[in-house]
């Protein structure tokens, strides 16, 4: 599925794919680099949830 997404990215001239995973997601944090993704740690992601 990841390779298919990368092919869609290439064929549509998209600039890339951004993935987000939790620091404790050991499987994802091992899988994504093995598929050619690089860890981009120069930004912080923040979340605000509207708890009604």
């Amino acid at each position: 599925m990841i390779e298919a997404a990368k092919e869609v990215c290439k064929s549509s001239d998209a600039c890339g794919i951004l993935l987000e995973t939790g620091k404790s997601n050991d499987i994802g944090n091992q899988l994504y680099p093995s598929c050619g993704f690089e860890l981009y740690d120069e930004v912080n992601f923040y979340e605000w949830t509207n708890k009604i």
Side-chain angles (χ1 to χ4, degrees), residues 24-39:
S24 63
N25 181 350
D26 294 331
I27 294 172
N29 289 321
Q30 292 176 6
L31 173 66
Y32 301 137
S34 73
C35 293
F37 288 85
E38 296 179 20
L39 180 61

Side-chain angles (χ1 to χ4, degrees), residues 6-36:
K6 288 164 64 176
E7 288 302 318
V8 169
C9 181
K10 290 176 187 176
S11 67
S12 66
D13 289 329
C15 61
I17 299 171
L18 177 65
L19 301 173
E20 180 181 355
T21 186
K23 292 184 184 287
S24 63
N25 181 350
D26 294 331
I27 294 172
N29 289 321
Q30 292 176 6
L31 173 66
Y32 301 137
S34 73
C35 293

